[in-house]
Amino acid sequence: LGQLGATLALAADGNGYEITSIVNGDAWDRGGDSPLNAIGVAAKVGERIVAVNGQPVSAMVPPQALLVHQAGAKVELTLDGAQGRRQVTVTTLADEVPARYREWVEANRAYVHAASDGRVGYLHLPDMQSAGFAEFHRYFSTECDREALIVDVRYNRGGHVSQLLLEKIARKRSGYCLARWMKP
């Protein structure tokens, strides 16, 4: 099934499927963001998908039915919105979990920052293997300068807590690198 990285709902009048939310993942990662966010597509919440590859959608034929065997394929969507009707070509996702994961992590991070007035940092460890190490290093340097750090291990896929990560969390800063005319 080709995925669009969006939540769709049958429009109240039955004419198309309204885009109720679009996943915001990693824009730089081709498989890590909704194809509806791609340059040249820029779909908006509230627009409707009225056709997929020229075939109209309906209550009996949702977009997902027309996206079977379209994973990773280029698909033409007909969108109807405030700017009128337009055709866009998107490359569907084979798996939208990476995009939805990134959106979830960023929402948690924003919540922690807002609730603590920026005093508490947040990072999530999906496992204690390469993906978990990558997530740790992605966020640690920006989050470690705060008064506290939440290391979220919910939904962790397993592995023992790495001593390498614990050692980095326990480190005390001993120096700064300064570029000429810049702040530390």
Side-chain angles (χ1 to χ4, degrees):
L1 182 65
Q3 305 284 329
L4 296 175
T7 305
L8 309 174
L10 182 63
D13 62 6
N15 292 324
Y17 279 75
E18 185 175 339
I19 300 170
T20 59
S21 71
I22 300 172
V23 173
N24 289 307
D26 283 326
W28 54 267
D29 181 4
R30 184 173 216 169
D33 195 16
S34 171
L36 299 178
N37 290 330
I39 295 170
V41 177
K44 304 280 186 248
V45 169
E47 283 188 294
R48 296 177 182 192
I49 298 174
V50 294
V52 176
N53 287 332
Q55 297 179 32
V57 298
S58 66
M60 301 304 290
V61 182
Q64 293 85 347
L66 301 173
L67 292 171
V68 172
H69 301 300
Q70 298 297 315
K74 291 194 180 302
V75 173
E76 183 183 83
L77 301 176
T78 304
L79 301 176
D80 194 10
Q83 300 91 10
R85 194 165 280 206
R86 61 191 178 109
Q87 268 81 26
V88 296
T89 301
V90 300
T91 302
T92 62
L93 299 172
D95 181 9
E96 63 182 29
V97 169
R100 289 194 181 271
Y101 172 74
R102 181 64 49 225
E103 183 177 62
W104 179 77
V105 169
E106 289 298 331
N108 291 340
R109 190 168 165 241
Y111 174 79
V112 168
H113 291 176
S116 69
D117 292 325
R119 294 178 301 125
V120 178
Y122 172 90
L123 62 90
H124 180 260
L125 295 177
D127 59 32
M128 294 297 167
Q129 297 164 11
S130 60
F133 277 46
E135 283 297 304
F136 178 85
H137 288 96
R138 176 181 180 141
Y139 289 106
F140 182 67
S141 63
T142 60
E143 300 296 299
C144 71
D145 284 337
R146 301 172 193 272
E147 294 175 31
L149 178 65
I150 294 173
V151 180
D152 186 351
V153 294
R154 291 176 294 166
Y155 316 114
N156 189 287
R157 294 186 294 261
H160 297 286
V161 176
S162 168
Q163 298 302 314
L164 296 172
L165 300 185
L166 292 174
E167 187 272 330
K168 283 188 179 180
I169 290 172
R171 283 183 189 171
K172 300 289 184 217
R173 177 153 296 148
S174 60
Y176 288 91
C177 180
L178 299 171
R180 186 175 293 166
W181 301 298
M182 303 299 285
K183 294 180 182 178

